[in-house]
mmCIF file of all heavy atoms in Angstrom:
data_model
loop_
_atom_site.group_PDB
_atom_site.id
_atom_site.type_symbol
_atom_site.label_atom_id
_atom_site.label_comp_id
_atom_site.label_asym_id
_atom_site.label_seq_id
_atom_site.Cartn_x
_atom_site.Cartn_y
_atom_site.Cartn_z
ATOM 1 N N GLU A 1 125.533 181.710 -36.973
ATOM 2 C CA GLU A 1 125.517 182.845 -36.053
ATOM 3 C C GLU A 1 126.941 183.216 -35.631
ATOM 4 O O GLU A 1 127.300 184.393 -35.601
ATOM 5 C CB GLU A 1 124.696 182.464 -34.803
ATOM 6 C CG GLU A 1 123.622 183.415 -34.470
ATOM 7 C CD GLU A 1 122.818 183.004 -33.251
ATOM 8 O OE1 GLU A 1 123.211 182.115 -32.483
ATOM 9 O OE2 GLU A 1 121.774 183.625 -33.078
ATOM 10 N N GLU A 2 127.742 182.222 -35.340
ATOM 11 C CA GLU A 2 129.134 182.452 -34.954
ATOM 12 C C GLU A 2 129.923 183.070 -36.106
ATOM 13 O O GLU A 2 130.697 184.018 -35.913
ATOM 14 C CB GLU A 2 129.770 181.125 -34.525
ATOM 15 C CG GLU A 2 131.191 181.266 -34.018
ATOM 16 C CD GLU A 2 131.779 179.924 -33.580
ATOM 17 O OE1 GLU A 2 131.041 179.113 -32.977
ATOM 18 O OE2 GLU A 2 132.973 179.701 -33.862
ATOM 19 N N LEU A 3 129.719 182.567 -37.308
ATOM 20 C CA LEU A 3 130.412 183.084 -38.492
ATOM 21 C C LEU A 3 130.041 184.548 -38.744
ATOM 22 O O LEU A 3 130.914 185.391 -38.972
ATOM 23 C CB LEU A 3 130.038 182.224 -39.706
ATOM 24 C CG LEU A 3 130.747 182.506 -41.013
ATOM 25 C CD1 LEU A 3 132.215 182.115 -40.925
ATOM 26 C CD2 LEU A 3 130.074 181.724 -42.135
ATOM 27 N N ILE A 4 128.753 184.859 -38.672
ATOM 28 C CA ILE A 4 128.300 186.241 -38.875
ATOM 29 C C ILE A 4 128.843 187.144 -37.770
ATOM 30 O O ILE A 4 129.296 188.261 -38.036
ATOM 31 C CB ILE A 4 126.756 186.293 -38.941
ATOM 32 C CG1 ILE A 4 126.265 185.602 -40.216
ATOM 33 C CG2 ILE A 4 126.253 187.737 -38.877
ATOM 34 C CD1 ILE A 4 124.758 185.349 -40.267
ATOM 35 N N GLY A 5 128.829 186.658 -36.540
ATOM 36 C CA GLY A 5 129.364 187.434 -35.425
ATOM 37 C C GLY A 5 130.852 187.718 -35.570
ATOM 38 O O GLY A 5 131.330 188.802 -35.228
ATOM 39 N N LYS A 6 131.593 186.760 -36.083
ATOM 40 C CA LYS A 6 133.045 186.922 -36.239
ATOM 41 C C LYS A 6 133.403 187.904 -37.355
ATOM 42 O O LYS A 6 134.255 188.767 -37.185
ATOM 43 C CB LYS A 6 133.684 185.561 -36.535
ATOM 44 C CG LYS A 6 135.173 185.620 -36.775
ATOM 45 C CD LYS A 6 135.754 184.247 -37.045
ATOM 46 C CE LYS A 6 137.247 184.339 -37.322
ATOM 47 N NZ LYS A 6 137.826 183.009 -37.622
ATOM 48 N N PHE A 7 132.747 187.782 -38.517
ATOM 49 C CA PHE A 7 133.143 188.586 -39.682
ATOM 50 C C PHE A 7 132.306 189.849 -39.887
ATOM 51 O O PHE A 7 132.729 190.751 -40.587
ATOM 52 C CB PHE A 7 133.108 187.730 -40.950
ATOM 53 C CG PHE A 7 134.242 186.746 -41.032
ATOM 54 C CD1 PHE A 7 134.047 185.421 -40.681
ATOM 55 C CD2 PHE A 7 135.505 187.138 -41.440
ATOM 56 C CE1 PHE A 7 135.085 184.501 -40.756
ATOM 57 C CE2 PHE A 7 136.559 186.240 -41.510
ATOM 58 C CZ PHE A 7 136.341 184.908 -41.164
ATOM 59 N N ARG A 8 131.106 189.910 -39.319
ATOM 60 C CA ARG A 8 130.223 191.067 -39.447
ATOM 61 C C ARG A 8 130.017 191.500 -40.912
ATOM 62 O O ARG A 8 130.306 192.647 -41.288
ATOM 63 C CB ARG A 8 130.760 192.257 -38.651
ATOM 64 C CG ARG A 8 130.951 191.976 -37.185
ATOM 65 C CD ARG A 8 129.666 192.200 -36.463
ATOM 66 N NE ARG A 8 129.839 191.972 -35.018
ATOM 67 C CZ ARG A 8 128.929 191.379 -34.290
ATOM 68 N NH1 ARG A 8 127.817 190.974 -34.821
ATOM 69 N NH2 ARG A 8 129.123 191.197 -33.011
ATOM 70 N N PRO A 9 129.515 190.599 -41.762
ATOM 71 C CA PRO A 9 129.291 190.983 -43.164
ATOM 72 C C PRO A 9 128.186 192.031 -43.283
ATOM 73 O O PRO A 9 127.364 192.202 -42.375
ATOM 74 C CB PRO A 9 128.868 189.661 -43.818
ATOM 75 C CG PRO A 9 128.307 188.846 -42.708
ATOM 76 C CD PRO A 9 129.082 189.233 -41.476
ATOM 77 N N ASP A 10 128.180 192.715 -44.416
ATOM 78 C CA ASP A 10 127.182 193.744 -44.691
ATOM 79 C C ASP A 10 125.939 193.180 -45.370
ATOM 80 O O ASP A 10 124.891 193.828 -45.365
ATOM 81 C CB ASP A 10 127.780 194.834 -45.588
ATOM 82 C CG ASP A 10 128.972 195.492 -44.928
ATOM 83 O OD1 ASP A 10 128.798 196.074 -43.842
ATOM 84 O OD2 ASP A 10 130.089 195.410 -45.492
ATOM 85 N N ALA A 11 126.074 192.011 -45.978
ATOM 86 C CA ALA A 11 124.957 191.405 -46.709
ATOM 87 C C ALA A 11 125.163 189.906 -46.804
ATOM 88 O O ALA A 11 126.294 189.418 -46.735
ATOM 89 C CB ALA A 11 124.856 192.000 -48.111
ATOM 90 N N LEU A 12 124.045 189.199 -46.980
ATOM 91 C CA LEU A 12 124.088 187.765 -47.223
ATOM 92 C C LEU A 12 123.498 187.504 -48.599
ATOM 93 O O LEU A 12 122.393 187.977 -48.904
ATOM 94 C CB LEU A 12 123.278 187.002 -46.166
ATOM 95 C CG LEU A 12 123.289 185.480 -46.340
ATOM 96 C CD1 LEU A 12 123.628 184.801 -45.033
ATOM 97 C CD2 LEU A 12 121.976 184.978 -46.879
ATOM 98 N N ALA A 13 124.244 186.801 -49.443
ATOM 99 C CA ALA A 13 123.769 186.395 -50.767
ATOM 100 C C ALA A 13 123.629 184.879 -50.740
ATOM 101 O O ALA A 13 124.549 184.174 -50.324
ATOM 102 C CB ALA A 13 124.758 186.829 -51.845
ATOM 103 N N ILE A 14 122.476 184.385 -51.159
ATOM 104 C CA ILE A 14 122.192 182.956 -51.078
ATOM 105 C C ILE A 14 121.603 182.474 -52.389
ATOM 106 O O ILE A 14 120.872 183.216 -53.063
ATOM 107 C CB ILE A 14 121.259 182.653 -49.879
ATOM 108 C CG1 ILE A 14 121.111 181.145 -49.655
ATOM 109 C CG2 ILE A 14 119.917 183.354 -50.031
ATOM 110 C CD1 ILE A 14 120.450 180.795 -48.320
ATOM 111 N N GLU A 15 121.913 181.237 -52.724
ATOM 112 C CA GLU A 15 121.357 180.664 -53.938
ATOM 113 C C GLU A 15 119.914 180.249 -53.695
ATOM 114 O O GLU A 15 119.589 179.669 -52.661
ATOM 115 C CB GLU A 15 122.179 179.453 -54.385
ATOM 116 C CG GLU A 15 121.770 178.944 -55.748
ATOM 117 C CD GLU A 15 122.734 177.926 -56.298
ATOM 118 O OE1 GLU A 15 122.897 176.859 -55.679
ATOM 119 O OE2 GLU A 15 123.328 178.208 -57.354
ATOM 120 N N GLU A 16 119.061 180.581 -54.663
ATOM 121 C CA GLU A 16 117.679 180.129 -54.604
ATOM 122 C C GLU A 16 117.651 178.621 -54.801
ATOM 123 O O GLU A 16 118.503 178.063 -55.484
ATOM 124 C CB GLU A 16 116.843 180.801 -55.698
ATOM 125 C CG GLU A 16 116.606 182.257 -55.443
ATOM 126 C CD GLU A 16 115.795 182.918 -56.531
ATOM 127 O OE1 GLU A 16 115.595 182.325 -57.617
ATOM 128 O OE2 GLU A 16 115.366 184.060 -56.307
ATOM 129 N N LEU A 17 116.680 177.996 -54.219
ATOM 130 C CA LEU A 17 116.565 176.547 -54.289
ATOM 131 C C LEU A 17 115.886 176.131 -55.584
ATOM 132 O O LEU A 17 114.918 176.742 -56.018
ATOM 133 C CB LEU A 17 115.742 176.048 -53.092
ATOM 134 C CG LEU A 17 115.617 174.548 -52.916
ATOM 135 C CD1 LEU A 17 116.996 173.916 -52.726
ATOM 136 C CD2 LEU A 17 114.748 174.240 -51.722
ATOM 137 N N PHE A 18 116.446 175.108 -56.206
ATOM 138 C CA PHE A 18 115.772 174.510 -57.348
ATOM 139 C C PHE A 18 115.876 172.998 -57.184
ATOM 140 O O PHE A 18 116.847 172.476 -56.670
ATOM 141 C CB PHE A 18 116.389 174.972 -58.680
ATOM 142 C CG PHE A 18 117.749 174.405 -58.953
ATOM 143 C CD1 PHE A 18 117.910 173.316 -59.791
ATOM 144 C CD2 PHE A 18 118.882 174.962 -58.369
ATOM 145 C CE1 PHE A 18 119.167 172.789 -60.031
ATOM 146 C CE2 PHE A 18 120.143 174.436 -58.607
ATOM 147 C CZ PHE A 18 120.294 173.349 -59.447
ATOM 148 N N PHE A 19 114.825 172.321 -57.563
ATOM 149 C CA PHE A 19 114.793 170.855 -57.457
ATOM 150 C C PHE A 19 115.187 170.266 -58.803
ATOM 151 O O PHE A 19 114.656 170.664 -59.820
ATOM 152 C CB PHE A 19 113.376 170.364 -57.117
ATOM 153 C CG PHE A 19 112.930 170.715 -55.729
ATOM 154 C CD1 PHE A 19 112.258 171.894 -55.471
ATOM 155 C CD2 PHE A 19 113.186 169.852 -54.674
ATOM 156 C CE1 PHE A 19 111.837 172.211 -54.196
ATOM 157 C CE2 PHE A 19 112.769 170.166 -53.394
ATOM 158 C CZ PHE A 19 112.091 171.338 -53.151
ATOM 159 N N ASN A 20 116.127 169.320 -58.771
ATOM 160 C CA ASN A 20 116.374 168.602 -60.012
ATOM 161 C C ASN A 20 115.521 167.336 -59.982
ATOM 162 O O ASN A 20 114.403 167.365 -60.427
ATOM 163 C CB ASN A 20 117.854 168.352 -60.278
ATOM 164 C CG ASN A 20 118.645 167.973 -59.041
ATOM 165 O OD1 ASN A 20 118.092 167.707 -57.986
ATOM 166 N ND2 ASN A 20 119.942 167.938 -59.163
ATOM 167 N N GLN A 21 115.970 166.245 -59.406
ATOM 168 C CA GLN A 21 115.140 165.048 -59.408
ATOM 169 C C GLN A 21 114.836 164.518 -58.014
ATOM 170 O O GLN A 21 113.805 163.911 -57.806
ATOM 171 C CB GLN A 21 115.796 163.951 -60.239
ATOM 172 C CG GLN A 21 115.810 164.307 -61.718
ATOM 173 C CD GLN A 21 116.443 163.228 -62.561
ATOM 174 O OE1 GLN A 21 117.187 162.404 -62.077
ATOM 175 N NE2 GLN A 21 116.141 163.250 -63.844
ATOM 176 N N ASN A 22 115.704 164.740 -57.044
ATOM 177 C CA ASN A 22 115.500 164.153 -55.725
ATOM 178 C C ASN A 22 114.751 165.116 -54.809
ATOM 179 O O ASN A 22 115.340 165.951 -54.141
ATOM 180 C CB ASN A 22 116.850 163.762 -55.115
ATOM 181 C CG ASN A 22 116.687 162.906 -53.874
ATOM 182 O OD1 ASN A 22 115.641 162.914 -53.230
ATOM 183 N ND2 ASN A 22 117.727 162.176 -53.537
ATOM 184 N N VAL A 23 113.427 164.985 -54.776
ATOM 185 C CA VAL A 23 112.587 165.879 -53.991
ATOM 186 C C VAL A 23 112.855 165.709 -52.494
ATOM 187 O O VAL A 23 112.849 166.685 -51.742
ATOM 188 C CB VAL A 23 111.090 165.658 -54.317
ATOM 189 C CG1 VAL A 23 110.202 166.496 -53.427
ATOM 190 C CG2 VAL A 23 110.821 165.986 -55.778
ATOM 191 N N THR A 24 113.130 164.479 -52.049
ATOM 192 C CA THR A 24 113.396 164.234 -50.628
ATOM 193 C C THR A 24 114.607 165.029 -50.155
ATOM 194 O O THR A 24 114.562 165.689 -49.112
ATOM 195 C CB THR A 24 113.610 162.724 -50.369
ATOM 196 O OG1 THR A 24 112.453 162.027 -50.832
ATOM 197 C CG2 THR A 24 113.824 162.438 -48.904
ATOM 198 N N THR A 25 115.682 165.011 -50.917
ATOM 199 C CA THR A 25 116.862 165.803 -50.576
ATOM 200 C C THR A 25 116.524 167.292 -50.635
ATOM 201 O O THR A 25 116.942 168.065 -49.776
ATOM 202 C CB THR A 25 118.026 165.495 -51.551
ATOM 203 O OG1 THR A 25 118.340 164.110 -51.434
ATOM 204 C CG2 THR A 25 119.246 166.321 -51.245
ATOM 205 N N GLY A 26 115.738 167.682 -51.631
ATOM 206 C CA GLY A 26 115.349 169.083 -51.783
ATOM 207 C C GLY A 26 114.593 169.613 -50.584
ATOM 208 O O GLY A 26 114.759 170.769 -50.200
ATOM 209 N N ILE A 27 113.773 168.775 -49.974
ATOM 210 C CA ILE A 27 113.023 169.208 -48.797
ATOM 211 C C ILE A 27 113.977 169.497 -47.636
ATOM 212 O O ILE A 27 113.845 170.511 -46.950
ATOM 213 C CB ILE A 27 111.951 168.156 -48.411
ATOM 214 C CG1 ILE A 27 110.863 168.139 -49.489
ATOM 215 C CG2 ILE A 27 111.365 168.452 -47.036
ATOM 216 C CD1 ILE A 27 109.887 166.988 -49.374
ATOM 217 N N GLY A 28 114.953 168.639 -47.416
ATOM 218 C CA GLY A 28 115.955 168.879 -46.367
ATOM 219 C C GLY A 28 116.745 170.147 -46.629
ATOM 220 O O GLY A 28 117.002 170.942 -45.718
ATOM 221 N N VAL A 29 117.139 170.356 -47.884
ATOM 222 C CA VAL A 29 117.882 171.565 -48.251
ATOM 223 C C VAL A 29 117.006 172.797 -48.035
ATOM 224 O O VAL A 29 117.469 173.822 -47.536
ATOM 225 C CB VAL A 29 118.405 171.488 -49.700
ATOM 226 C CG1 VAL A 29 119.047 172.800 -50.123
ATOM 227 C CG2 VAL A 29 119.401 170.349 -49.860
ATOM 228 N N ALA A 30 115.721 172.684 -48.379
ATOM 229 C CA ALA A 30 114.802 173.812 -48.176
ATOM 230 C C ALA A 30 114.684 174.157 -46.691
ATOM 231 O O ALA A 30 114.638 175.334 -46.315
ATOM 232 C CB ALA A 30 113.430 173.487 -48.752
ATOM 233 N N GLN A 31 114.650 173.131 -45.834
ATOM 234 C CA GLN A 31 114.583 173.390 -44.400
ATOM 235 C C GLN A 31 115.866 174.066 -43.913
ATOM 236 O O GLN A 31 115.808 175.011 -43.115
ATOM 237 C CB GLN A 31 114.317 172.089 -43.641
ATOM 238 C CG GLN A 31 112.923 171.564 -43.893
ATOM 239 C CD GLN A 31 112.685 170.201 -43.267
ATOM 240 O OE1 GLN A 31 113.581 169.377 -43.169
ATOM 241 N NE2 GLN A 31 111.457 169.969 -42.850
ATOM 242 N N ALA A 32 117.010 173.620 -44.396
ATOM 243 C CA ALA A 32 118.287 174.248 -44.020
ATOM 244 C C ALA A 32 118.329 175.686 -44.523
ATOM 245 O O ALA A 32 118.779 176.597 -43.807
ATOM 246 C CB ALA A 32 119.456 173.451 -44.581
ATOM 247 N N ARG A 33 117.846 175.895 -45.729
ATOM 248 C CA ARG A 33 117.823 177.242 -46.303
ATOM 249 C C ARG A 33 116.952 178.166 -45.454
ATOM 250 O O ARG A 33 117.290 179.318 -45.220
ATOM 251 C CB ARG A 33 117.312 177.178 -47.736
ATOM 252 C CG ARG A 33 117.471 178.458 -48.506
ATOM 253 C CD ARG A 33 117.071 178.234 -49.976
ATOM 254 N NE ARG A 33 117.244 179.457 -50.704
ATOM 255 C CZ ARG A 33 116.372 180.466 -50.705
ATOM 256 N NH1 ARG A 33 115.262 180.387 -50.007
ATOM 257 N NH2 ARG A 33 116.617 181.562 -51.401
ATOM 258 N N GLY A 34 115.830 177.643 -44.955
ATOM 259 C CA GLY A 34 114.963 178.415 -44.078
ATOM 260 C C GLY A 34 115.669 178.821 -42.799
ATOM 261 O O GLY A 34 115.536 179.964 -42.338
ATOM 262 N N VAL A 35 116.442 177.918 -42.231
ATOM 263 C CA VAL A 35 117.213 178.226 -41.019
ATOM 264 C C VAL A 35 118.252 179.308 -41.327
ATOM 265 O O VAL A 35 118.457 180.235 -40.539
ATOM 266 C CB VAL A 35 117.880 176.952 -40.455
ATOM 267 C CG1 VAL A 35 118.940 177.283 -39.418
ATOM 268 C CG2 VAL A 35 116.825 176.023 -39.860
ATOM 269 N N ILE A 36 118.892 179.208 -42.474
ATOM 270 C CA ILE A 36 119.903 180.194 -42.874
ATOM 271 C C ILE A 36 119.261 181.574 -43.031
ATOM 272 O O ILE A 36 119.780 182.578 -42.522
ATOM 273 C CB ILE A 36 120.616 179.749 -44.174
ATOM 274 C CG1 ILE A 36 121.446 178.492 -43.896
ATOM 275 C CG2 ILE A 36 121.469 180.871 -44.747
ATOM 276 C CD1 ILE A 36 121.839 177.713 -45.153
ATOM 277 N N LEU A 37 118.118 181.631 -43.713
ATOM 278 C CA LEU A 37 117.420 182.905 -43.903
ATOM 279 C C LEU A 37 116.971 183.490 -42.565
ATOM 280 O O LEU A 37 117.108 184.690 -42.324
ATOM 281 C CB LEU A 37 116.222 182.724 -44.839
ATOM 282 C CG LEU A 37 116.550 182.357 -46.286
ATOM 283 C CD1 LEU A 37 115.266 182.042 -47.057
ATOM 284 C CD2 LEU A 37 117.343 183.440 -46.971
ATOM 285 N N MET A 38 116.450 182.636 -41.695
ATOM 286 C CA MET A 38 115.994 183.092 -40.377
ATOM 287 C C MET A 38 117.168 183.637 -39.561
ATOM 288 O O MET A 38 117.061 184.676 -38.916
ATOM 289 C CB MET A 38 115.315 181.921 -39.631
ATOM 290 C CG MET A 38 114.774 182.256 -38.256
ATOM 291 S SD MET A 38 115.913 182.043 -36.854
ATOM 292 C CE MET A 38 116.548 180.423 -37.070
ATOM 293 N N THR A 39 118.296 182.954 -39.612
ATOM 294 C CA THR A 39 119.473 183.400 -38.859
ATOM 295 C C THR A 39 119.951 184.755 -39.361
ATOM 296 O O THR A 39 120.241 185.657 -38.566
ATOM 297 C CB THR A 39 120.596 182.353 -38.953
ATOM 298 O OG1 THR A 39 120.108 181.096 -38.469
ATOM 299 C CG2 THR A 39 121.817 182.779 -38.148
ATOM 300 N N ALA A 40 120.018 184.927 -40.678
ATOM 301 C CA ALA A 40 120.441 186.211 -41.254
ATOM 302 C C ALA A 40 119.471 187.322 -40.866
ATOM 303 O O ALA A 40 119.889 188.420 -40.488
ATOM 304 C CB ALA A 40 120.551 186.101 -42.766
ATOM 305 N N GLU A 41 118.185 187.037 -40.948
ATOM 306 C CA GLU A 41 117.170 188.034 -40.594
ATOM 307 C C GLU A 41 117.292 188.400 -39.117
ATOM 308 O O GLU A 41 117.243 189.578 -38.748
ATOM 309 C CB GLU A 41 115.772 187.482 -40.899
ATOM 310 C CG GLU A 41 114.660 188.470 -40.662
ATOM 311 C CD GLU A 41 114.629 189.617 -41.666
ATOM 312 O OE1 GLU A 41 115.200 189.512 -42.774
ATOM 313 O OE2 GLU A 41 114.023 190.651 -41.324
ATOM 314 N N LYS A 42 117.452 187.396 -38.272
ATOM 315 C CA LYS A 42 117.590 187.618 -36.826
ATOM 316 C C LYS A 42 118.787 188.515 -36.518
ATOM 317 O O LYS A 42 118.735 189.345 -35.614
ATOM 318 C CB LYS A 42 117.750 186.262 -36.124
ATOM 319 C CG LYS A 42 117.982 186.356 -34.629
ATOM 320 C CD LYS A 42 118.213 184.962 -34.046
ATOM 321 C CE LYS A 42 118.685 185.079 -32.610
ATOM 322 N NZ LYS A 42 119.197 183.818 -32.108
ATOM 323 N N MET A 43 119.847 188.370 -37.308
ATOM 324 C CA MET A 43 121.073 189.140 -37.063
ATOM 325 C C MET A 43 121.105 190.451 -37.844
ATOM 326 O O MET A 43 122.117 191.153 -37.851
ATOM 327 C CB MET A 43 122.286 188.270 -37.345
ATOM 328 C CG MET A 43 122.309 187.055 -36.406
ATOM 329 S SD MET A 43 123.855 186.178 -36.401
ATOM 330 C CE MET A 43 124.886 187.285 -35.441
ATOM 331 N N GLY A 44 119.987 190.785 -38.509
ATOM 332 C CA GLY A 44 119.880 192.073 -39.185
ATOM 333 C C GLY A 44 120.617 192.187 -40.503
ATOM 334 O O GLY A 44 120.883 193.292 -40.967
ATOM 335 N N LEU A 45 120.939 191.057 -41.127
ATOM 336 C CA LEU A 45 121.651 191.094 -42.407
ATOM 337 C C LEU A 45 120.674 191.244 -43.563
ATOM 338 O O LEU A 45 119.706 190.484 -43.651
ATOM 339 C CB LEU A 45 122.409 189.781 -42.629
ATOM 340 C CG LEU A 45 123.839 189.679 -42.172
ATOM 341 C CD1 LEU A 45 124.396 188.305 -42.516
ATOM 342 C CD2 LEU A 45 124.699 190.749 -42.776
ATOM 343 N N PRO A 46 120.897 192.187 -44.464
ATOM 344 C CA PRO A 46 120.089 192.235 -45.681
ATOM 345 C C PRO A 46 120.329 190.947 -46.479
ATOM 346 O O PRO A 46 121.462 190.468 -46.573
ATOM 347 C CB PRO A 46 120.627 193.447 -46.440
ATOM 348 C CG PRO A 46 121.339 194.265 -45.419
ATOM 349 C CD PRO A 46 121.862 193.287 -44.401
ATOM 350 N N ILE A 47 119.267 190.387 -47.045
ATOM 351 C CA ILE A 47 119.334 189.114 -47.755
ATOM 352 C C ILE A 47 119.074 189.344 -49.238
ATOM 353 O O ILE A 47 118.107 190.012 -49.608
ATOM 354 C CB ILE A 47 118.290 188.135 -47.181
ATOM 355 C CG1 ILE A 47 118.571 187.864 -45.701
ATOM 356 C CG2 ILE A 47 118.265 186.826 -47.986
ATOM 357 C CD1 ILE A 47 117.413 187.209 -44.969
ATOM 358 N N TYR A 48 119.923 188.749 -50.070
ATOM 359 C CA TYR A 48 119.785 188.820 -51.520
ATOM 360 C C TYR A 48 119.786 187.393 -52.045
ATOM 361 O O TYR A 48 120.623 186.589 -51.640
ATOM 362 C CB TYR A 48 120.936 189.620 -52.141
ATOM 363 C CG TYR A 48 121.000 191.032 -51.628
ATOM 364 C CD1 TYR A 48 121.678 191.339 -50.452
ATOM 365 C CD2 TYR A 48 120.366 192.062 -52.303
ATOM 366 C CE1 TYR A 48 121.728 192.642 -49.960
ATOM 367 C CE2 TYR A 48 120.409 193.370 -51.829
ATOM 368 C CZ TYR A 48 121.092 193.644 -50.657
ATOM 369 O OH TYR A 48 121.132 194.927 -50.183
#
């Protein structure tokens, strides 16, 4: 939120999640990715 507020980007581009072998790590990354998407949406950033 602070980073977006400081730079005011026009769009957010994020890597889609893919699991290689460690599903446990993937679940944590998926939760973080969800927070990132929610934050961008909350701040009105188009997401790609």
Side-chain angles (χ1 to χ4, degrees):
E1 233 179 14
E2 184 179 321
L3 186 69
I4 292 169
K6 177 179 178 181
F7 287 99
R8 302 275 182 219
D10 300 299
L12 181 131
I14 188 168
E15 188 169 62
E16 289 179 348
L17 186 60
F18 71 99
F19 291 91
N20 40 10
Q21 292 181 340
N22 191 338
V23 175
T24 303
T25 299
I27 291 169
V29 174
Q31 291 174 327
R33 190 174 181 279
V35 166
I36 293 162
L37 294 173
M38 181 270 310
T39 303
E41 184 70 20
K42 177 183 170 193
M43 298 193 75
L45 268 181
I47 299 165
Y48 300 86

